[in-house]
Amino acid sequence: MKDFKKSTVYQIYPKSFYDTNGDGIGDLNGVIEKLDYLKTLGIDYIWLTPFYPSPQVDNGYDISDYYNIDPSFGTLEDFKKLVKEAKARNIYIMLDMVLNHTSTEHNWFKRALNEETKYKDFYIFKESINNEPPTNWQSKFGGNAWEYVEAFNEYYLHLFDRTQADLNWDNKEVRKEIYNIVNYWLEKGVKGLRFDVINLISKPENFEDDLDGDGRGFYTDGSKIHEYIRELNENTYGKYKNIMTVGEMSSTTVENCIQYSNPKEKELSMVFNFHHLKVDYYKGNKWTVMDFDFKQLKELFKVWQEDIQDGNGWNALFWCNHDQPRVVSRFGEDKEYLKESAKMLATTIHMMRGTPYIFQGEEFGMTNPYFDTIEKYRDVESINYYNILMEQGKAEAEILEILKEKSRDNSRTPVQWNDKENAGFTKGTPWIPISKEYKRINAEKALYNKDSIFYHYQKLIQLRKDYEVISNGNIKFILEEHENVLSYVRNLDNITLIVLNNFFNKEVKLELLDEYLNNKSKNKILISNYKDSSVLDKNLTLRPFESIVYYIET
Ligand code: TEU
Ligand code: CA
């Protein structure tokens, strides 16, 4: 039995993890080969992004068969072996469930196009209005969210790529099929489930134009969302003991997330929200370059930590995933202070209330690759927006600068295992270029150096298991007005932690309130990212990106 409050999840994007057969694509056997490495790190769960058969337009988030493994990743036998080998190392497997949409190559969709009414009702087909799409909603990957089907003179809804058709969750038959899929994988020994864009499944009864947005207000956290998740729980993972679940909640609210994750609601164990990862979107637009807004970042963490706590919900804690640029390039400094800033960012979220997630390569400081030509990109969203911005008349050089900061491919370059050819990822030609940084930044090098980012993560993972105050303590943000330091206090009974993080490349001063300094009979530094961090004092100076966690027992 694992306690998700004491656990850490490691996300694997199999395509870029480790290739064992030289085709340039990472595979399930590659995951098996690296299990000992993951055991050394100390993680509890591996979340695998989709490995099911797929045309790979959206790298597997376009599923054509929910019951198999895409041949580029391996076989069902390989998967069974992975579950077994992982378990032998006390690691559980979490799968990615993409249930908002299927690939248009899925048999259901093909039968829908074949005019089988039963399957047409699996999707969302609507008549056109005056030869225009049913609504003005925008696809998350650019362009209108409706695709025309001439044979029916109708459109189908796709919130993502046109090859990802949205399922009609209002159809009970669809929900039954979904329960079968989830149960099939649970029976194979899966212990965790990540539900892709799950808060988008409940669509409105009437489809109307969005007069001041891209349509998300009409289908985000929709009217039946809690009912559908509760029902999913009841019919699948709720029947098992100890299945950990996380919902990916696009553009959601605190109130909804409390309901999704408060145990008494019987919905999910925890939620991903993304508000803290939009603090570098100029006026909400991702396709811009701007320094991150630190003040806003602090405010968002405070709200999402304290308010979710007040409602007894639970957060997934993360900076990185396969859709986000590398955090050290984004909110840290990936040259001179790579080590210090990567460790500081790790401490910032690993000491919070929630369950931490690490994205492959984050644990030894992988950076954005800074691709210099469009040919190096593979991601459908990046390529679409490249074309859209070109059409808008932006200069190519400027678009490439935007992609260098914002493209999802920033996180999708192969894991840098060592300083040999292709960073040790493959003996063939990698499906996407390898970052030029692999000689400076790689796993082998990190493992040799006890002071590396890797061992900092290892320690953070262990601290969460050893200190109840981290997994179960109360959280309260302090130094709210400080312009450079993000700080909070954790408390449980007579134990207090003070967590201080300097997010800037300069020395800064701070002053702690007396209440944190009185009655400290015993205190020590639990973890920090400089060898000689100061002892606890009222007035403190933090060096560039310095991060210190004080442990106080009264
Ligand atoms: O992501 C949902 C999602 O909202 C992001 O793709 C988001 O649109 C993007 O980062 C904005 O820039 C999930 C998966 O994580 C993603 O990989 C899939 O492409 C998407 O769903 C569709 O399944
Ligand atoms: Ca392979």
Side-chain angles (χ1 to χ4, degrees):
M1 276 288 253
K2 284 188 188 285
D3 176 354
F4 68 76
K5 298 190 172 180
K6 294 185 159 63
S7 295
T8 299
V9 183
Y10 186 89
Q11 183 191 351
I12 290 184
Y13 198 68
K15 203 166 185 163
S16 300
F17 191 65
Y18 185 54
D19 173 28
T20 56
N21 64 350
D23 64 357
I25 298 173
D27 39 56
L28 293 182
N29 282 322
V31 180
I32 296 173
E33 283 199 25
K34 297 294 182 185
L35 284 171
D36 286 330
Y37 167 82
L38 297 175
K39 185 167 163 61
T40 305
L41 183 58
I43 53 98
D44 299 277
Y45 289 81
I46 293 171
W47 152 25
L48 290 166
T49 60
F51 51 46
Y52 320 97
S54 157
Q56 303 286 333
V57 175
D58 188 19
N59 285 355
Y61 283 91
D62 45 330
I63 299 175
S64 55
D65 175 3
Y66 286 98
Y67 294 95
N68 268 301
I69 311 284
D70 193 279
S72 65
F73 295 128
T75 62
L76 272 174
E77 284 312 307
D78 298 338
F79 176 73
K80 284 183 198 152
K81 183 165 171 217
L82 171 59
V83 174
K84 196 167 143 238
E85 292 292 325
K87 189 159 178 239
R89 291 164 180 82
N90 196 24
I91 295 173
Y92 287 167
I93 301 295
M94 166 184 256
L95 291 195
D96 209 319
M97 296 281 134
V98 188
L99 305 171
N100 175 68
H101 45 264
T102 73
S103 163
T104 49
E105 294 295 307
H106 193 285
N107 202 33
W108 298 336
F109 195 81
K110 289 187 180 161
R111 295 177 76 168
L113 286 188
N114 215 17
E115 283 184 74
E116 289 182 48
T117 317
K118 169 172 172 183
Y119 291 102
K120 216 177 144 200
D121 287 344
F122 269 41
Y123 296 91
I124 301 167
F125 282 91
K126 296 276 171 214
E127 280 169 17
S128 76
I129 295 178
N130 309 324
N131 291 321
E132 294 281 333
T135 70
N136 65 351
W137 300 356
Q138 293 292 299
S139 150
K140 309 239 180 213
F141 294 160
N144 187 275
W146 297 92
E147 182 74 5
Y148 185 60
V149 179
E150 210 182 330
F152 304 156
N153 189 26
E154 283 176 351
Y155 291 76
Y156 66 85
L157 179 67
H158 62 90
L159 295 181
F160 294 90
D161 188 65
R162 60 162 60 87
T163 65
Q164 293 166 297
D166 281 59
L167 283 165
N168 174 16
W169 274 67
D170 295 331
N171 179 347
K172 203 165 179 0
E173 293 299 313
V174 168
R175 303 204 299 278
K176 272 199 205 147
E177 290 284 356
I178 281 166
Y179 307 150
N180 291 340
I181 294 164
V182 176
N183 285 326
Y184 170 84
W185 291 104
L186 288 171
E187 280 155 26
K188 296 212 170 337
V190 163
K191 297 273 191 238
L193 299 165
R194 179 256 187 198
F195 293 102
D196 190 59
V197 291
I198 196 70
N199 66 327
L200 309 185
I201 58 175
S202 172
K203 308 295 194 286
E205 246 167 68
N206 299 312
F207 287 74
E208 298 160 44
D209 275 353
D210 189 347
L211 301 180
D212 44 35
D214 61 5
R216 70 183 65 190
F218 288 83
Y219 54 74
T220 302
D221 301 319
S223 62
K224 295 209 166 122
I225 185 64
H226 294 287
E227 179 187 328
Y228 290 159
I229 296 182
R230 249 188 336 265
E231 226 186 80
L232 177 66
N233 176 322
E234 225 170 80
N235 286 283
T236 62
Y237 50 88
K239 295 197 273 192
Y240 287 72
K241 274 207 186 79
N242 203 227
I243 303 293
M244 180 169 108
T245 54
V246 55
E248 189 201 22
M249 303 299 174
S250 174
S251 305
T252 187
T253 62
V254 166
E255 207 183 15
N256 273 296
C257 284
I258 290 171
Q259 199 173 340
Y260 292 134
S261 62
N262 181 318
K264 85 170 196 299
E265 304 288 345
K266 294 197 165 34
E267 294 190 21
L268 299 163
S269 317
M270 68 190 85
V271 289
F272 287 115
N273 88 80
F274 295 87
H275 297 284
H276 66 297
L277 297 177
K278 295 180 181 169
V279 296
D280 53 1
Y281 288 12
Y282 181 69
K283 295 192 169 154
N285 179 1
K286 169 172 171 172
W287 306 101
T288 52
V289 173
M290 114 177 199
D291 282 344
F292 73 105
D293 182 339
F294 180 62
K295 192 165 174 263
Q296 201 190 359
L297 183 73
K298 280 180 65 163
E299 283 164 11
L300 284 165
F301 273 132
K302 176 182 161 63
V303 167
W304 280 84
Q305 283 284 303
E306 293 180 359
D307 293 7
I308 293 277
Q309 160 174 275
D310 292 346
N312 197 28
W314 196 253
N315 280 309
L317 306 170
F318 69 108
W319 289 120
C320 299
N321 67 31
H322 62 292
D323 296 331
Q324 299 294 330
R326 292 285 179 179
V327 68
V328 71
S329 302
R330 189 177 186 184
F331 301 142
E333 199 281 320
D334 62 8
K335 301 281 183 297
E336 196 189 341
Y337 287 104
L338 173 75
K339 189 174 76 181
E340 290 78 9
S341 65
K343 289 181 180 180
M344 179 279 289
L345 290 162
T347 299
T348 299
I349 59 170
H350 281 251
M351 289 293 122
M352 284 182 183
R353 181 179 176 279
T355 298
Y357 285 66
I358 300 169
F359 179 68
Q360 62 186 39
E362 178 188 338
E363 75 279 13
F364 59 88
M366 275 181 65
T367 63
N368 287 347
Y370 303 110
F371 287 160
D372 49 8
T373 63
I374 189 65
E375 285 70 36
K376 295 198 169 129
Y377 289 94
R378 303 286 178 269
D379 171 31
V380 56
E381 183 195 51
S382 305
I383 293 166
N384 283 354
Y385 272 98
Y386 171 86
N387 291 325
I388 290 170
L389 296 173
M390 285 291 267
E391 275 162 34
Q392 286 172 4
K394 259 204 172 43
E396 195 198 13
E398 194 186 333
I399 301 173
L400 288 172
E401 287 310 306
I402 296 174
L403 290 180
K404 274 185 195 170
E405 302 294 333
K406 298 297 171 76
S407 169
R408 304 195 298 178
D409 281 338
N410 282 314
S411 57
R412 298 177 180 185
T413 61
V415 171
Q416 295 150 210
W417 292 106
N418 57 41
D419 62 5
K420 311 262 158 42
E421 206 186 351
N422 290 325
F425 163 70
T426 179
K427 296 212 153 49
T429 307
W431 70 277
I432 185 170
I434 300 210
S435 165
K436 285 194 267 206
E437 294 280 19
Y438 73 96
K439 292 212 155 96
R440 179 169 72 113
I441 304 163
N442 63 67
E444 194 176 87
K445 196 171 157 191
L447 286 168
Y448 273 123
N449 174 5
K450 281 287 168 206
D451 184 41
S452 69
I453 299 165
F454 180 91
Y455 292 108
H456 190 84
Y457 271 90
Q458 184 190 57
K459 186 166 179 188
L460 289 169
I461 295 167
Q462 192 57 42
L463 288 175
R464 175 167 291 273
K465 299 192 188 307
D466 294 344
Y467 289 84
E468 197 73 19
V469 64
I470 301 172
S471 54
N472 278 302
N474 183 81
I475 190 162
K476 182 172 174 276
F477 279 69
I478 60 167
L479 299 174
E480 283 170 52
E481 299 304 320
H482 202 291
E483 284 177 9
N484 309 101
V485 176
L486 187 151
S487 178
Y488 51 86
V489 172
R490 304 294 313 271
N491 178 259
L492 187 72
D493 305 326
N494 62 328
I495 307 294
T496 299
L497 300 183
I498 301 180
V499 183
L500 302 171
N501 299 292
N502 176 8
F503 269 68
F504 291 84
N505 188 354
K506 63 173 185 196
E507 222 174 73
V508 301
K509 294 192 184 317
L510 61 90
E511 192 182 327
L512 292 174
L513 290 178
D514 288 329
E515 63 179 283
Y516 300 114
L517 298 156
N518 300 336
N519 305 321
K520 44 160 186 157
S521 57
K522 266 202 278 176
N523 82 75
K524 62 179 179 186
I525 291 178
L526 200 58
I527 187 166
S528 82
N529 60 350
Y530 278 77
K531 283 204 185 77
D532 51 353
S533 288
S534 326
V535 293
L536 179 60
D537 204 355
K538 184 169 178 60
N539 290 293
L540 289 165
T541 303
L542 296 180
R543 287 162 284 183
F545 301 106
E546 189 165 18
S547 155
I548 312 176
V549 180
Y550 293 107
Y551 170 97
I552 308 168
E553 210 174 309
T554 54

